[in-house]
Structures are given as C-alpha cells and as structure tokens.
Amino acid sequence: MSDLHSRVQSLNARIQAACARCGRSPESVELLPVSKFQPQTQIQEALLLGFRRFGENYVQEGTAKAAAIPDADFILIGPLQRNKAKQALLHFQEIMSVDRPELVLRLRNLARELSLTRKIWIQVDLWNESTKLGGCAPNDLPSILEAWEKDPSLPLEGLMAIPPPEHNTAFTELADFREVWQQRLGKPLRLSMGMSGDLEAAICAGSDQVRIGTALFGDRC
Ligand SMILES: *Cc1c(COP(=O)(O)O)cnc(C)c1O
C-alpha cells in the first residue's frame, strides 16, 4: 500500500471515530484534500484513490494544476485578490474565500461576462485576528450578502473558517453562527472547518467539510 493510501485509511478511521463519538454519520462529512505545495503526482495518485476535488490556496498554482490535470476539480481556499478574480473563476470550480462586498461584485460581473456558474462560500473570521488569512467580521456579513443579491451564477454553498488554534470554543461558535444565518437566509449553509490537527473537534461541533493537507499528503514541499 502506498503512503498516500495508508494515510487516507488512517484519516478515514479518524473521521469515523469522531463521528461515532458524537453520533454523526461519516457520510455527512466531506474530506477535502488540500494539495497546495504538493506535486501533481500526489494529486494524480489521489484521483486513483477516488478523490476528485482538491483545495488550493494560490490562483497561480491551482491554475497550472487545473491545466495539467483536467480530471480534477479545484476549489480555491486561499485569499483572492480582485486582479486574480477572472483567473480564479475560469480555473476553480468553487471559491471558498469570499470575504468582502467588492469581491462579490467583481465575481458577479465576471461570472456574467464569462457565462459561468460557480459555487461560493463566505469566509468568516469571528475573532478578528487572522487578517492575513482572510475572512470577514460577523458585522460585515450583511453587506456581503447585499452585494451578492442571491445571484444565481454564484450559488452560496456555505461558510468557511480558519479559527485560531488555541481557541477551544471556536468551532461551536461557528456552528451557532451558521445556525443563525441559515435561519435568516432560509436556506441550508454548509460549514467548512477543521484541518489536519483538529478535525475531530470540528466534526463534533458540526463541520460538514474538513480541509486536510499534511495528514493526507505529508509535509508540504
Ligand atoms: C493549508 C490549509 C489547510 C490544510 O491544512 P493542514 O493543517 O495541512 O491540514 C486547510 N485550509 C486552509 C485554508 C489552508 O490554507
């Protein structure tokens, strides 16, 4: 068995154990491989193991991989600058790092111009501490939704967050925040939270998607 294959098995075991502990079904949790800084061979190998969607942080890197590996779908999980928005829409299937009204307006214009439909996620930062990682403050969410205007070319899939590592109530705060906005919007929102080191806590708090880099692919090059 390859290294990747055995890491997939231990990750699945971790996810299953976490689900068993909190009474969830393992099928309700998506494992999104994060392939940033990993060579294309790793993605090819993961495709053979049944993965199809891959998170990438950088537009440039993801674009190159998307061109080389047409069988894979790439999801943008890193911060997006306005001037890369077009490239991002063209080469990524979903954009998870939407965090300001200007970016939403830009994406809407471009999606119309390019006749594309792309799922978006709004990245939230409830703790106002990770400016370099992106994410909007809770108070900014209404203005982002206003700019979005339920544009059908950018269906809203959910909320994404990268909570500060030592904040042990972060995942439940995010789950509560999701609940509130589901009610207000009258539609289900998926919640993407949890990474290699903390997926168990995220799953038990209700995460629908864990984004896993190192625990799946090993150290980044
Ligand atoms: C790199 C990254 C991950 C994966 O992190 P690991 O700790 O390697 O699992 C998940 N989400 C985002 C936004 C990332 O940038």
Side-chain angles (χ1 to χ4, degrees), residues 9 44 57 92 114 119 128 144 155 159 194 201 206 213 221:
Q9 293 200 332
Q44 303 277 15
N57 286 60
F92 291 81
L114 301 165
K119 285 179 183 165
N128 193 23
I144 295 174
L159 303 174
C221 312

Side-chain angles (χ1 to χ4, degrees), residues 1 3 11 23-24 54 65 77 84 96 108 132 152-153 159 166 195 200 203 206:
M1 201 189 304
D3 287 352
L11 261 174
R24 294 189 59 186
F54 297 88
K65 287 172 172 169
I77 62 172
K84 300 259 174 69
M96 299 194 74
R108 289 183 65 189
K132 73 176 190 326
S153 52
L159 303 174
E166 286 89 37
M195 312 199 289
E200 286 86 355
I203 288 172

Side-chain angles (χ1 to χ4, degrees), residues 53-98:
R53 294 154 52 77
F54 297 88
E56 284 282 344
N57 286 60
Y58 303 98
V59 174
Q60 204 93 342
E61 182 180 351
T63 298
K65 287 172 172 169
I69 314 173
D71 290 347
D73 286 344
F74 291 92
I75 318 292
L76 185 66
I77 62 172
L80 177 58
Q81 269 119 44
R82 265 174 64 90
N83 61 354
K84 300 259 174 69
K86 185 172 185 176
Q87 206 182 344
L89 278 178
L90 285 170
H91 303 287
F92 291 81
Q93 302 304 309
E94 292 177 24
I95 297 178
M96 299 194 74
S97 48
V98 174

Side-chain angles (χ1 to χ4, degrees), residues 96 98 120-124 136 141 144-145 156 158-160:
M96 299 194 74
V98 174
I120 58 165
W121 301 60
I122 297 176
Q123 184 182 346
V124 295
C136 69
L141 198 65
I144 295 174
L145 293 169
L156 178 61
L159 303 174
M160 185 272 259

Side-chain angles (χ1 to χ4, degrees), residues 34 36 57 77 160 162 195-197 211-215 220:
V34 172
K36 64 169 173 241
N57 286 60
I77 62 172
M160 185 272 259
I162 313 170
M195 312 199 289
S196 292
R211 307 178 308 270
I212 307 296
T214 45
R220 291 184 265 273

